[in-house]
Amino acid sequence: LVKTFIQLAPAEVECEFIQGLDQLPFFNEDLEETPPKVVVDFINKLKTADAFLFATPEYNRSYTAVLKNAIDWPSRSADLVFYKKPAAVVGITPYNLGAFGAVHHLRQVLTYLNMYTLQQPEFHVDRAAEKFNEIGDLTDETTIRHIENFWREYVDFINIHKNIVDKT
């Protein structure tokens, strides 16, 4: 799903797919003041982002522990990389509810971090195995159109936020 979002991103959008979240140690308040190098590098990478697109599968009506940990480290740093940044959340599942629970749970956390989260259009992919081929390419035209529409709305949302911030 993330690779498809990157492929369908508008020309004016530069995306970076951040992988390796599983390499971050579990958040630990004892290490908060002097985090490990891998955490510092991760936070430094996030500092340059103008906006964030979070993608998650759904596990037990929530997002993954790995993603939670990747949000906890920078959210507790002095850099406040998420503070007042635009964010959007997309979810995917092989089941019928389309990661609805994960998307909404994650949006709740991002709201607490004072991120400006895109409310509409919501984006949840259900029955993922039917929509992607065996090499991971999205083949479902309805979902492709939904991603294109999502990008239009999200880019507008980011630009509105940027204009507001630039004026302050």
Side-chain angles (χ1 to χ4, degrees):
L1 183 61
V2 173
K3 290 176 184 176
T4 303
F5 262 89
I6 292 170
Q7 291 167 352
L8 295 175
E12 71 270 21
V13 174
E14 182 180 328
C15 296
E16 181 176 355
F17 183 8
I18 299 178
Q19 298 184 70
L21 302 181
D22 59 331
Q23 301 304 306
L24 297 171
F26 284 119
F27 176 76
N28 180 336
E29 285 185 14
D30 293 339
L31 301 176
E32 195 170 358
E33 293 299 316
T34 55
K37 182 181 181 328
V38 66
V39 172
V40 172
D41 292 346
F42 174 66
I43 292 170
N44 285 335
K45 182 180 285 196
L46 297 179
K47 284 182 192 179
T48 61
D50 295 323
F52 294 92
L53 175 64
F54 294 90
T56 185
E58 182 169 284
Y59 297 159
N60 299 318
R61 297 287 187 259
S62 188
Y63 57 100
T64 68
V66 171
L67 182 54
K68 174 73 166 98
N69 189 54
I71 291 169
D72 285 346
W73 275 110
S75 75
R76 300 285 299 234
S77 78
D79 296 304
L80 297 174
V81 297
F82 296 137
Y83 187 72
K84 293 189 176 182
K85 292 281 180 87
V89 181
V90 300
I92 188 166
T93 183
Y95 307 109
N96 291 330
L97 292 179
F100 174 84
V103 167
H104 285 274
H105 188 201
L106 181 50
R107 284 169 65 180
Q108 180 181 20
V109 170
L110 300 179
T111 298
Y112 176 77
L113 298 178
N114 207 27
M115 297 188 82
Y116 300 117
T117 56
L118 180 68
Q119 300 301 308
Q120 293 293 330
E122 291 185 336
F123 196 95
H124 332 99
V125 176
D126 61 354
R127 298 184 306 278
E130 298 171 15
K131 297 177 181 173
F132 291 83
N133 65 20
E134 60 280 346
I135 59 171
D137 295 328
L138 180 62
T139 57
D140 182 68
E141 287 299 320
T142 301
T143 305
I144 290 170
R145 286 192 305 277
H146 190 38
I147 291 172
E148 292 168 343
N149 180 59
F150 187 92
W151 270 122
R152 279 190 296 278
E153 293 294 329
Y154 191 38
V155 168
D156 285 349
F157 182 78
I158 292 167
N159 288 333
I160 289 168
H161 172 75
K162 184 178 181 332
N163 289 335
I164 292 169
V165 170
D166 287 347
K167 290 178 183 177
T168 59

Short mmCIF file of all heavy atoms in Angstrom, two decimals, residues 61-116:
data_model
loop_
_atom_site.label_atom_id
_atom_site.label_comp_id
_atom_site.label_asym_id
_atom_site.label_seq_id
_atom_site.Cartn_x
_atom_site.Cartn_y
_atom_site.Cartn_z
N ARG A 61 -7.84 -4.48 16.33
CA ARG A 61 -8.54 -3.18 16.28
C ARG A 61 -7.63 -1.99 16.57
O ARG A 61 -8.07 -0.92 16.94
CB ARG A 61 -9.74 -3.13 17.23
CG ARG A 61 -10.82 -4.12 16.90
CD ARG A 61 -11.58 -3.69 15.64
NE ARG A 61 -12.72 -4.55 15.41
CZ ARG A 61 -12.73 -5.54 14.52
NH1 ARG A 61 -11.69 -5.77 13.78
NH2 ARG A 61 -13.81 -6.27 14.37
N SER A 62 -6.31 -2.19 16.40
CA SER A 62 -5.37 -1.10 16.64
C SER A 62 -4.23 -1.18 15.63
O SER A 62 -4.16 -2.12 14.83
CB SER A 62 -4.83 -1.18 18.06
OG SER A 62 -4.07 -0.03 18.35
N TYR A 63 -3.35 -0.21 15.70
CA TYR A 63 -2.17 -0.20 14.84
C TYR A 63 -1.06 -0.99 15.51
O TYR A 63 -1.19 -1.44 16.64
CB TYR A 63 -1.76 1.24 14.50
CG TYR A 63 -1.48 2.12 15.67
CD1 TYR A 63 -0.17 2.38 16.06
CD2 TYR A 63 -2.50 2.74 16.39
CE1 TYR A 63 0.11 3.20 17.13
CE2 TYR A 63 -2.23 3.56 17.47
CZ TYR A 63 -0.93 3.78 17.84
OH TYR A 63 -0.66 4.59 18.90
N THR A 64 0.06 -1.13 14.82
CA THR A 64 1.11 -2.03 15.28
C THR A 64 1.93 -1.45 16.43
O THR A 64 2.10 -0.24 16.55
CB THR A 64 2.08 -2.38 14.14
OG1 THR A 64 2.80 -1.20 13.78
CG2 THR A 64 1.34 -2.93 12.93
N ALA A 65 2.47 -2.33 17.23
CA ALA A 65 3.36 -1.93 18.33
C ALA A 65 4.63 -1.28 17.79
O ALA A 65 5.16 -0.34 18.39
CB ALA A 65 3.71 -3.14 19.19
N VAL A 66 5.10 -1.73 16.65
CA VAL A 66 6.30 -1.15 16.05
C VAL A 66 6.05 0.31 15.68
O VAL A 66 6.88 1.18 15.93
CB VAL A 66 6.74 -1.98 14.81
CG1 VAL A 66 7.84 -1.28 14.04
CG2 VAL A 66 7.18 -3.37 15.24
N LEU A 67 4.89 0.60 15.11
CA LEU A 67 4.55 1.98 14.77
C LEU A 67 4.36 2.81 16.03
O LEU A 67 4.82 3.96 16.10
CB LEU A 67 3.30 2.03 13.89
CG LEU A 67 2.86 3.41 13.43
CD1 LEU A 67 3.98 4.16 12.72
CD2 LEU A 67 1.64 3.28 12.51
N LYS A 68 3.73 2.26 17.04
CA LYS A 68 3.55 2.98 18.31
C LYS A 68 4.90 3.38 18.89
O LYS A 68 5.10 4.52 19.31
CB LYS A 68 2.77 2.11 19.30
CG LYS A 68 2.65 2.68 20.70
CD LYS A 68 1.69 3.84 20.77
CE LYS A 68 1.30 4.19 22.20
NZ LYS A 68 2.07 5.30 22.75
N ASN A 69 5.84 2.47 18.88
CA ASN A 69 7.18 2.74 19.39
C ASN A 69 7.87 3.82 18.56
O ASN A 69 8.53 4.71 19.10
CB ASN A 69 8.00 1.44 19.38
CG ASN A 69 9.32 1.59 20.08
OD1 ASN A 69 9.38 2.00 21.23
ND2 ASN A 69 10.38 1.25 19.38
N ALA A 70 7.69 3.77 17.24
CA ALA A 70 8.30 4.76 16.35
C ALA A 70 7.69 6.14 16.53
O ALA A 70 8.32 7.15 16.22
CB ALA A 70 8.17 4.30 14.90
N ILE A 71 6.49 6.21 17.02
CA ILE A 71 5.86 7.49 17.33
C ILE A 71 6.29 7.97 18.73
O ILE A 71 6.51 9.16 18.94
CB ILE A 71 4.32 7.38 17.24
CG1 ILE A 71 3.91 7.18 15.78
CG2 ILE A 71 3.63 8.59 17.84
CD1 ILE A 71 2.45 6.80 15.60
N ASP A 72 6.42 7.05 19.66
CA ASP A 72 6.77 7.42 21.03
C ASP A 72 8.13 8.10 21.14
O ASP A 72 8.27 9.11 21.83
CB ASP A 72 6.73 6.20 21.96
CG ASP A 72 5.31 5.77 22.29
OD1 ASP A 72 4.37 6.55 22.06
OD2 ASP A 72 5.15 4.64 22.80
N TRP A 73 9.15 7.56 20.48
CA TRP A 73 10.49 8.15 20.59
C TRP A 73 10.50 9.62 20.17
O TRP A 73 10.87 10.47 20.97
CB TRP A 73 11.51 7.36 19.77
CG TRP A 73 12.08 6.18 20.51
CD1 TRP A 73 11.84 4.87 20.24
CD2 TRP A 73 12.97 6.20 21.61
NE1 TRP A 73 12.54 4.06 21.11
CE2 TRP A 73 13.25 4.86 21.97
CE3 TRP A 73 13.58 7.22 22.34
CZ2 TRP A 73 14.10 4.51 23.01
CZ3 TRP A 73 14.43 6.88 23.39
CH2 TRP A 73 14.69 5.54 23.72
N PRO A 74 10.10 9.97 18.96
CA PRO A 74 10.15 11.39 18.58
C PRO A 74 9.14 12.25 19.33
O PRO A 74 9.38 13.44 19.54
CB PRO A 74 9.88 11.40 17.08
CG PRO A 74 9.39 10.06 16.73
CD PRO A 74 9.75 9.12 17.83
N SER A 75 8.04 11.67 19.76
CA SER A 75 7.05 12.48 20.47
C SER A 75 7.56 12.94 21.83
O SER A 75 7.07 13.92 22.37
CB SER A 75 5.74 11.70 20.65
OG SER A 75 5.87 10.72 21.65
N ARG A 76 8.53 12.25 22.35
CA ARG A 76 9.09 12.58 23.66
C ARG A 76 10.41 13.35 23.55
O ARG A 76 10.97 13.74 24.56
CB ARG A 76 9.31 11.30 24.46
CG ARG A 76 8.06 10.47 24.72
CD ARG A 76 7.21 11.11 25.76
NE ARG A 76 7.96 11.19 27.00
CZ ARG A 76 7.55 10.73 28.15
NH1 ARG A 76 6.37 10.17 28.25
NH2 ARG A 76 8.30 10.85 29.24
N SER A 77 10.89 13.56 22.34
CA SER A 77 12.15 14.29 22.18
C SER A 77 11.91 15.79 22.23
O SER A 77 10.80 16.28 22.02
CB SER A 77 12.82 13.91 20.85
OG SER A 77 12.19 14.59 19.79
N ALA A 78 12.94 16.53 22.49
CA ALA A 78 12.85 17.99 22.55
C ALA A 78 12.58 18.60 21.17
O ALA A 78 12.17 19.75 21.07
CB ALA A 78 14.14 18.56 23.12
N ASP A 79 12.80 17.83 20.12
CA ASP A 79 12.64 18.36 18.76
C ASP A 79 11.19 18.55 18.33
O ASP A 79 10.91 19.31 17.42
CB ASP A 79 13.34 17.43 17.76
CG ASP A 79 14.83 17.40 18.00
OD1 ASP A 79 15.45 18.47 17.97
OD2 ASP A 79 15.36 16.29 18.21
N LEU A 80 10.26 17.85 18.97
CA LEU A 80 8.83 17.97 18.65
C LEU A 80 8.57 17.88 17.15
O LEU A 80 7.90 18.73 16.57
CB LEU A 80 8.27 19.27 19.22
CG LEU A 80 8.31 19.42 20.73
CD1 LEU A 80 7.86 20.82 21.15
CD2 LEU A 80 7.47 18.36 21.41
N VAL A 81 9.10 16.85 16.52
CA VAL A 81 8.99 16.73 15.06
C VAL A 81 7.56 16.57 14.55
O VAL A 81 7.28 16.88 13.40
CB VAL A 81 9.87 15.58 14.51
CG1 VAL A 81 11.33 15.84 14.78
CG2 VAL A 81 9.45 14.24 15.06
N PHE A 82 6.66 16.12 15.39
CA PHE A 82 5.28 15.94 14.97
C PHE A 82 4.39 17.15 15.27
O PHE A 82 3.32 17.30 14.69
CB PHE A 82 4.65 14.71 15.66
CG PHE A 82 5.29 13.40 15.29
CD1 PHE A 82 5.56 12.46 16.26
CD2 PHE A 82 5.61 13.10 13.98
CE1 PHE A 82 6.12 11.23 15.94
CE2 PHE A 82 6.19 11.89 13.64
CZ PHE A 82 6.44 10.95 14.63
N TYR A 83 4.83 17.99 16.17
CA TYR A 83 4.00 19.08 16.69
C TYR A 83 3.52 20.02 15.57
O TYR A 83 4.32 20.58 14.83
CB TYR A 83 4.79 19.86 17.73
CG TYR A 83 4.01 20.91 18.47
CD1 TYR A 83 3.04 20.55 19.41
CD2 TYR A 83 4.22 22.25 18.24
CE1 TYR A 83 2.32 21.50 20.10
CE2 TYR A 83 3.51 23.22 18.94
CZ TYR A 83 2.55 22.84 19.86
OH TYR A 83 1.83 23.78 20.54
N LYS A 84 2.20 20.15 15.45
CA LYS A 84 1.53 21.03 14.49
C LYS A 84 1.86 20.72 13.04
O LYS A 84 1.82 21.58 12.17
CB LYS A 84 1.80 22.50 14.80
CG LYS A 84 1.18 22.96 16.10
CD LYS A 84 1.30 24.46 16.27
CE LYS A 84 0.57 24.90 17.53
NZ LYS A 84 0.62 26.35 17.71
N LYS A 85 2.17 19.46 12.75
CA LYS A 85 2.43 19.04 11.37
C LYS A 85 1.18 18.36 10.81
O LYS A 85 0.44 17.69 11.53
CB LYS A 85 3.59 18.04 11.32
CG LYS A 85 4.94 18.62 11.67
CD LYS A 85 5.54 19.38 10.52
CE LYS A 85 6.88 19.96 10.84
NZ LYS A 85 7.99 19.08 10.60
N PRO A 86 0.93 18.51 9.51
CA PRO A 86 -0.17 17.79 8.89
C PRO A 86 0.12 16.28 8.88
O PRO A 86 1.27 15.87 8.71
CB PRO A 86 -0.20 18.32 7.46
CG PRO A 86 0.60 19.57 7.47
CD PRO A 86 1.59 19.43 8.59
N ALA A 87 -0.93 15.51 9.07
CA ALA A 87 -0.80 14.06 9.07
C ALA A 87 -2.03 13.44 8.42
O ALA A 87 -3.13 14.00 8.48
CB ALA A 87 -0.65 13.53 10.49
N ALA A 88 -1.82 12.30 7.83
CA ALA A 88 -2.93 11.51 7.30
C ALA A 88 -2.64 10.05 7.66
O ALA A 88 -1.48 9.66 7.82
CB ALA A 88 -3.06 11.68 5.80
N VAL A 89 -3.69 9.28 7.76
CA VAL A 89 -3.56 7.88 8.16
C VAL A 89 -4.31 7.00 7.18
O VAL A 89 -5.46 7.28 6.82
CB VAL A 89 -4.12 7.65 9.59
CG1 VAL A 89 -3.96 6.20 10.00
CG2 VAL A 89 -3.46 8.58 10.59
N VAL A 90 -3.64 5.93 6.75
CA VAL A 90 -4.27 4.94 5.89
C VAL A 90 -4.06 3.57 6.51
O VAL A 90 -3.07 3.34 7.21
CB VAL A 90 -3.72 4.99 4.45
CG1 VAL A 90 -3.97 6.36 3.83
CG2 VAL A 90 -2.24 4.65 4.39
N GLY A 91 -5.01 2.68 6.27
CA GLY A 91 -4.92 1.35 6.85
C GLY A 91 -5.30 0.28 5.86
O GLY A 91 -6.02 0.53 4.89
N ILE A 92 -4.85 -0.93 6.13
CA ILE A 92 -5.10 -2.05 5.24
C ILE A 92 -5.25 -3.33 6.05
O ILE A 92 -4.59 -3.50 7.09
CB ILE A 92 -3.97 -2.19 4.20
CG1 ILE A 92 -4.31 -3.22 3.14
CG2 ILE A 92 -2.64 -2.45 4.87
CD1 ILE A 92 -3.39 -3.16 1.93
N THR A 93 -6.13 -4.19 5.59
CA THR A 93 -6.36 -5.46 6.26
C THR A 93 -6.90 -6.48 5.27
O THR A 93 -7.53 -6.11 4.28
CB THR A 93 -7.35 -5.29 7.44
OG1 THR A 93 -7.50 -6.54 8.12
CG2 THR A 93 -8.70 -4.83 6.96
N PRO A 94 -6.69 -7.75 5.55
CA PRO A 94 -7.30 -8.77 4.69
C PRO A 94 -8.78 -9.00 5.04
O PRO A 94 -9.46 -9.74 4.35
CB PRO A 94 -6.47 -10.02 4.98
CG PRO A 94 -5.90 -9.80 6.34
CD PRO A 94 -5.74 -8.32 6.50
N TYR A 95 -9.27 -8.36 6.07
CA TYR A 95 -10.63 -8.61 6.54
C TYR A 95 -11.60 -7.55 6.04
O TYR A 95 -11.24 -6.68 5.26
CB TYR A 95 -10.62 -8.71 8.07
CG TYR A 95 -9.62 -9.72 8.56
CD1 TYR A 95 -8.46 -9.32 9.20
CD2 TYR A 95 -9.79 -11.08 8.31
CE1 TYR A 95 -7.51 -10.25 9.60
CE2 TYR A 95 -8.85 -12.01 8.70
CZ TYR A 95 -7.71 -11.60 9.35
OH TYR A 95 -6.78 -12.51 9.73
N ASN A 96 -12.82 -7.58 6.51
CA ASN A 96 -13.88 -6.75 5.94
C ASN A 96 -13.94 -5.31 6.43
O ASN A 96 -14.48 -4.47 5.73
CB ASN A 96 -15.24 -7.40 6.21
CG ASN A 96 -15.44 -8.66 5.42
OD1 ASN A 96 -14.89 -8.80 4.33
ND2 ASN A 96 -16.20 -9.60 5.96
N LEU A 97 -13.43 -4.99 7.58
CA LEU A 97 -13.59 -3.63 8.11
C LEU A 97 -12.52 -2.66 7.63
O LEU A 97 -12.55 -1.48 7.99
CB LEU A 97 -13.64 -3.65 9.63
CG LEU A 97 -14.87 -4.32 10.23
CD1 LEU A 97 -14.79 -4.29 11.75
CD2 LEU A 97 -16.15 -3.64 9.76
N GLY A 98 -11.57 -3.11 6.84
CA GLY A 98 -10.61 -2.22 6.23
C GLY A 98 -9.73 -1.45 7.18
O GLY A 98 -9.41 -0.30 6.93
N ALA A 99 -9.34 -2.03 8.27
CA ALA A 99 -8.45 -1.40 9.25
C ALA A 99 -9.08 -0.16 9.88
O ALA A 99 -8.38 0.74 10.35
CB ALA A 99 -7.09 -1.08 8.63
N PHE A 100 -10.37 -0.11 9.91
CA PHE A 100 -11.11 1.02 10.49
C PHE A 100 -10.64 1.31 11.92
O PHE A 100 -10.37 2.46 12.28
CB PHE A 100 -12.61 0.72 10.46
CG PHE A 100 -13.45 1.75 11.15
CD1 PHE A 100 -13.84 2.89 10.49
CD2 PHE A 100 -13.85 1.56 12.46
CE1 PHE A 100 -14.61 3.85 11.12
CE2 PHE A 100 -14.62 2.52 13.11
CZ PHE A 100 -15.01 3.67 12.43
N GLY A 101 -10.53 0.27 12.74
CA GLY A 101 -10.13 0.46 14.13
C GLY A 101 -8.71 0.99 14.25
O GLY A 101 -8.44 1.90 15.04
N ALA A 102 -7.79 0.46 13.46
CA ALA A 102 -6.40 0.92 13.51
C ALA A 102 -6.28 2.37 13.08
O ALA A 102 -5.58 3.16 13.73
CB ALA A 102 -5.54 0.04 12.60
N VAL A 103 -6.95 2.73 12.00
CA VAL A 103 -6.89 4.11 11.50
C VAL A 103 -7.41 5.09 12.55
O VAL A 103 -6.77 6.10 12.85
CB VAL A 103 -7.66 4.24 10.17
CG1 VAL A 103 -7.89 5.70 9.80
CG2 VAL A 103 -6.91 3.51 9.06
N HIS A 104 -8.54 4.78 13.14
CA HIS A 104 -9.12 5.71 14.10
C HIS A 104 -8.34 5.76 15.41
O HIS A 104 -8.21 6.83 16.02
CB HIS A 104 -10.61 5.41 14.32
CG HIS A 104 -11.40 5.88 13.16
ND1 HIS A 104 -11.87 7.17 13.06
CD2 HIS A 104 -11.74 5.27 12.00
CE1 HIS A 104 -12.49 7.32 11.91
NE2 HIS A 104 -12.42 6.18 11.25
N HIS A 105 -7.79 4.64 15.83
CA HIS A 105 -6.98 4.64 17.03
C HIS A 105 -5.72 5.47 16.82
O HIS A 105 -5.34 6.29 17.68
CB HIS A 105 -6.64 3.21 17.43
CG HIS A 105 -5.98 3.10 18.75
ND1 HIS A 105 -5.24 2.01 19.11
CD2 HIS A 105 -5.92 3.93 19.81
CE1 HIS A 105 -4.75 2.19 20.33
NE2 HIS A 105 -5.15 3.34 20.77
N LEU A 106 -5.08 5.30 15.68
CA LEU A 106 -3.87 6.06 15.38
C LEU A 106 -4.18 7.55 15.25
O LEU A 106 -3.43 8.39 15.77
CB LEU A 106 -3.21 5.53 14.11
CG LEU A 106 -1.92 6.22 13.67
CD1 LEU A 106 -0.90 6.33 14.79
CD2 LEU A 106 -1.33 5.47 12.47
N ARG A 107 -5.28 7.91 14.63
CA ARG A 107 -5.64 9.32 14.51
C ARG A 107 -5.85 9.93 15.90
O ARG A 107 -5.52 11.10 16.13
CB ARG A 107 -6.90 9.47 13.66
CG ARG A 107 -6.60 9.31 12.18
CD ARG A 107 -7.81 9.19 11.34
NE ARG A 107 -8.60 10.41 11.36
CZ ARG A 107 -9.72 10.54 10.68
NH1 ARG A 107 -10.17 9.56 9.92
NH2 ARG A 107 -10.40 11.66 10.74
N GLN A 108 -6.39 9.16 16.82
CA GLN A 108 -6.59 9.65 18.19
C GLN A 108 -5.25 10.00 18.83
O GLN A 108 -5.10 11.05 19.48
CB GLN A 108 -7.32 8.58 19.00
CG GLN A 108 -7.59 8.95 20.43
CD GLN A 108 -8.29 7.83 21.18
OE1 GLN A 108 -8.26 6.67 20.77
NE2 GLN A 108 -8.92 8.17 22.27
N VAL A 109 -4.25 9.16 18.64
CA VAL A 109 -2.92 9.42 19.19
C VAL A 109 -2.30 10.64 18.53
O VAL A 109 -1.71 11.49 19.21
CB VAL A 109 -2.02 8.17 19.04
CG1 VAL A 109 -0.57 8.49 19.38
CG2 VAL A 109 -2.54 7.03 19.90
N LEU A 110 -2.43 10.76 17.23
CA LEU A 110 -1.85 11.91 16.52
C LEU A 110 -2.51 13.22 16.94
O LEU A 110 -1.84 14.25 17.03
CB LEU A 110 -1.98 11.71 15.01
CG LEU A 110 -1.27 10.47 14.45
CD1 LEU A 110 -1.48 10.36 12.95
CD2 LEU A 110 0.20 10.44 14.82
N THR A 111 -3.78 13.17 17.24
CA THR A 111 -4.46 14.36 17.75
C THR A 111 -3.86 14.77 19.09
O THR A 111 -3.62 15.95 19.33
CB THR A 111 -5.98 14.10 17.89
OG1 THR A 111 -6.49 13.81 16.58
CG2 THR A 111 -6.70 15.29 18.48
N TYR A 112 -3.58 13.81 19.94
CA TYR A 112 -2.96 14.11 21.22
C TYR A 112 -1.60 14.77 21.02
O TYR A 112 -1.19 15.65 21.79
CB TYR A 112 -2.81 12.85 22.08
CG TYR A 112 -2.08 13.14 23.36
CD1 TYR A 112 -2.73 13.76 24.42
CD2 TYR A 112 -0.73 12.85 23.49
CE1 TYR A 112 -2.05 14.08 25.59
CE2 TYR A 112 -0.04 13.16 24.66
CZ TYR A 112 -0.71 13.79 25.70
OH TYR A 112 -0.04 14.11 26.84
N LEU A 113 -0.88 14.38 19.97
CA LEU A 113 0.43 14.96 19.68
C LEU A 113 0.32 16.33 19.01
O LEU A 113 1.33 16.92 18.64
CB LEU A 113 1.25 14.01 18.80
CG LEU A 113 1.56 12.65 19.41
CD1 LEU A 113 2.33 11.79 18.43
CD2 LEU A 113 2.34 12.82 20.71
N ASN A 114 -0.89 16.81 18.86
CA ASN A 114 -1.19 18.11 18.24
C ASN A 114 -0.79 18.16 16.78
O ASN A 114 -0.32 19.17 16.27
CB ASN A 114 -0.57 19.27 19.02
CG ASN A 114 -1.37 20.55 18.81
OD1 ASN A 114 -2.57 20.51 18.55
ND2 ASN A 114 -0.71 21.69 18.92
N MET A 115 -0.99 17.02 16.11
CA MET A 115 -0.82 16.99 14.66
C MET A 115 -2.17 17.35 14.05
O MET A 115 -3.21 17.07 14.63
CB MET A 115 -0.38 15.60 14.20
CG MET A 115 0.98 15.21 14.74
SD MET A 115 1.59 13.68 14.03
CE MET A 115 2.27 14.32 12.50
N TYR A 116 -2.13 17.98 12.90
CA TYR A 116 -3.36 18.31 12.19
C TYR A 116 -3.69 17.13 11.27
O TYR A 116 -3.03 16.93 10.26
CB TYR A 116 -3.19 19.60 11.40
CG TYR A 116 -2.85 20.77 12.28
CD1 TYR A 116 -1.64 21.43 12.16
CD2 TYR A 116 -3.73 21.19 13.27
CE1 TYR A 116 -1.33 22.51 12.98
CE2 TYR A 116 -3.42 22.26 14.10
CZ TYR A 116 -2.22 22.92 13.94
OH TYR A 116 -1.91 23.98 14.76
#
